[in-house]
Amino acid sequence: MTQASVGADAPILEVRGLGKYFSVGGGFKPKRLRALNDVSFSLRAREVIALVGESGSGKSTVAKILARLEQPTTGQVFFQGRDILAAEPRRASLRYRSKVQMIFQDPFGSLNPLHRVRYHLARPLARHHRLAGAELEARILSLLKAVGLTPPAEFASKLPHQMSGGQRQRVAIARALAVEPAVILADEPISMLDVSIRMGVLNLMLKLKEERDLAYLYITHDIGSARYVGDTIMVMYAGHIVESAPSDRLIESPAHPYTELLLAAVPDPTVSKPKPLGAKSGAPQLIDPPRGCAFAERCPKVMAICKKEDPASAEIAASHHVRCHLYNE
Ligand code: SF4
């Protein structure tokens, strides 16, 4: 069996060659939809990796596989050196699920509207830490305080509809913290919130990372927020990681034509903008995808080889990887 990285600086979560295909169409000859192909990365304690891509790029599928809501078609996932997809006892799987928590895009949808905040936090605390009575109540209040919902006793008694979207997302974060996770998968956690409160939620996530040694996989379509929270940015297109690099490096020296396109569309005046690229619009063909680079139909720098061969990933500078024929030998 393949060995995971070990040692003091070993990743807490390591993903290797993840692929996910869905059968679509039914009948005698169902077609294959490629959601992910050859996705690999490592996440260390206190690190934030921002996974950026447009709708349908596969970024949420990565999160669902890591949360064990989906099974991959190929690949391996190691948590603290242990292959969590290989057959393992249910108890080990439960431990993984408590250590890797997910925060969803829609905080209202992720909370039961009939139950008060106290109920949502009491369940994981009772199940994972066997807390009850005064001890349980004290932990609930301490979690609410940690996510900035004060006075905590007042918030503990609220129903989801009695709070704002930002407050509901803070409850969702508190619920994830209740089981003392090591990794949080944050799937577009601010995209449904008012612009005015997004920054507060991002700053809370960063504060909790420092206080609790958390690592985040932060999933977003917004490269501006990816830059704000991410130590590393990975750009996804059509199920592939097409570019990854330390955040500042990726923003200042983007190499993949798709990353250049994303940055050109950022309205933030502090982000350097390459000239508009004139890329064609359109979606990649994910069902029975043709040979070659998935971005070829839209790419302003397309070459003959791009429609014949899949580009391999190349390291063009320290920790800066690009999947594009412009950088292949
Ligand atoms: Fe463009 Fe070719 Fe690079 Fe794909 S491989 S991004 S088509 S230049």
Side-chain angles (χ1 to χ4, degrees), residues 242 255-258 292-307 309-312 322-328:
V242 295
H256 194 280
Y258 178 63
C293 172
F295 192 53
E297 291 304 319
R298 295 174 65 189
C299 182
K301 297 180 180 175
V302 63
M303 304 173 286
I305 190 175
C306 303
K307 296 195 176 182
E309 289 178 24
D310 258 346
V322 186
R323 189 184 284 265
C324 171
H325 282 302
L326 292 169
Y327 305 93
N328 288 161

Side-chain angles (χ1 to χ4, degrees), residues 86-98:
E88 64 176 13
R90 198 172 123 75
R91 280 183 62 147
S93 175
L94 283 177
R95 182 178 173 273
Y96 172 80
R97 285 171 198 261
S98 74

Side-chain angles (χ1 to χ4, degrees), residues 211-280:
E211 290 172 356
R212 296 169 187 247
D213 285 347
L214 293 170
Y216 289 104
L217 182 66
Y218 172 73
I219 292 164
T220 182
H221 61 275
D222 168 26
I223 203 162
S225 72
R227 182 195 199 183
Y228 186 72
V229 299
D231 301 302
T232 295
I233 296 178
M234 299 192 305
V235 179
M236 281 200 86
Y237 186 81
H240 296 91
I241 294 177
V242 295
E243 183 163 9
S244 69
S247 294
D248 289 345
R249 158 107 197 159
L250 186 130
I251 298 292
E252 298 306 327
S253 309
H256 194 280
Y258 178 63
T259 311
E260 292 179 333
L261 175 68
L262 281 181
L263 285 167
V266 170
D268 182 349
T270 64
V271 174
S272 60
K273 287 187 182 181
K275 275 198 208 134
L277 294 170
K280 293 173 211 143

